[in-house]
Amino acid sequence: MNSLTMYGQNTLLKIKLIKVVLVSCLALTSIAINALETDFNKNIIIDAKKQKLDIKTNTLTFSGDVDVSQGSLRMKADRLEVIKAKDNSDSQDILIATGKPATYKQQLENGEVLTASAKNIEYKVSDRILTLSGNAKISQQGSEVSGDKIEYNLVEQKLIASSAGQKGQKVRTVLTPKSDEEEEQ
C-alpha cells in the first residue's frame, strides 16, 4: 500500500469521525429548549387541596395534589411554595415545587414536548430559569439529561447539569439519533 492510499484512508476516517462528532453535537443541541413565547404572557393558575398565605413573608404555600399551569406549561407537585416579589424591589416571583417526584411539562415552539422531573423544581418567573434538583431528569425527542442538579435558562437556551460529587455519581446524557423518516422531513 503506498503512502498516498494510506493518506486517503486516514482522511476518510477523519471525515467519518468529524461526521459522528457533528451528529452528536446536533443531537445535543436538539435538547435545547425553546418554550412557547406566548406561555410567558399568560396567567399562572394554581390548583391545590390546601392553601396558606403568610402576608409578612409574602409567601403562598399550596399542598395536596398541586397543579400549576401557564399556557402549555404544566407542573405537578405534592407541595408548592410561591414567594411573591415585593413591590418596588429587584426580587421576582419564585415557584418551588416538591414531590416524589415533582414534574414539569411544556410544549416547545417546534411542537415537541419537554418533560422534566425532580424531587425539587424551582422556577424563577421573570428570569425564566428552571432549576431541578434531586434525581433530576429533563427530556425531549427521546433524548435525556439526568443528574443531581440541572439548571436550564429558557431565554438563553443554556443547560448545565451536575452531580452531587458522591462516589460513582455522574451526569448522564442519552442521545436518541434521528430516524431516516425524521431526517427526510
Side-chain angles (χ1 to χ4, degrees):
M1 192 178 290
N2 64 32
S3 63
L4 186 56
T5 306
M6 287 179 63
Y7 174 77
Q9 288 177 343
N10 284 339
T11 302
L12 284 174
L13 285 172
K14 288 178 185 176
I15 290 171
K16 286 181 181 180
L17 180 60
I18 290 170
K19 283 182 180 179
V20 168
V21 169
L22 284 175
V23 168
S24 296
C25 288
L26 287 172
L28 272 173
T29 58
S30 75
I31 198 93
I33 305 152
N34 192 8
L36 285 174
E37 191 62 33
T38 57
D39 284 350
F40 302 118
N41 299 324
K42 301 205 172 156
N43 291 333
I44 297 173
I45 299 167
I46 304 168
D47 294 313
K49 291 183 178 177
K50 186 177 179 182
Q51 172 185 322
K52 274 190 340 190
L53 170 63
D54 184 336
I55 295 171
K56 287 181 182 178
T57 63
N58 226 17
T59 302
L60 284 161
T61 304
F62 299 87
S63 59
D65 196 23
V66 181
D67 290 310
V68 180
S69 63
Q70 183 184 29
S72 75
L73 180 155
R74 299 284 183 272
M75 275 192 344
K76 291 188 175 286
D78 298 328
R79 183 176 187 274
L80 176 74
E81 189 174 59
V82 179
I83 304 165
K84 296 286 292 165
K86 297 187 185 221
D87 294 335
N88 302 322
S89 73
D90 291 332
S91 63
Q92 63 179 309
D93 292 353
I94 299 173
L95 281 66
I96 303 170
T98 56
K100 296 177 188 154
T103 61
Y104 176 96
K105 183 176 174 181
Q106 187 167 24
Q107 183 178 347
L108 309 176
E109 291 288 346
N110 65 4
E112 294 290 329
V113 176
L114 162 81
T115 59
S117 65
K119 184 177 178 183
N120 300 296
I121 299 176
E122 180 180 293
Y123 177 49
K124 292 182 180 176
V125 178
S126 297
D127 290 343
R128 298 182 187 162
I129 293 176
L130 191 65
T131 303
L132 312 166
S133 60
N135 200 23
K137 292 180 186 176
I138 191 165
S139 61
Q140 176 193 356
Q141 295 178 335
S143 296
E144 180 179 274
V145 175
S146 61
D148 187 58
K149 181 178 178 184
I150 299 172
E151 182 173 286
Y152 187 77
N153 185 315
L154 295 162
V155 175
E156 295 178 7
Q157 297 183 13
K158 292 183 180 178
L159 182 142
I160 299 171
S162 59
S163 68
Q166 295 175 0
K167 186 178 179 182
Q169 196 173 35
K170 295 181 180 181
V171 172
R172 172 171 277 186
T173 301
V174 178
L175 303 173
T176 303
K178 288 187 174 185
S179 67
D180 291 338
E181 294 170 5
E182 288 176 318
E183 290 176 2
E184 292 172 5
Q185 295 175 357

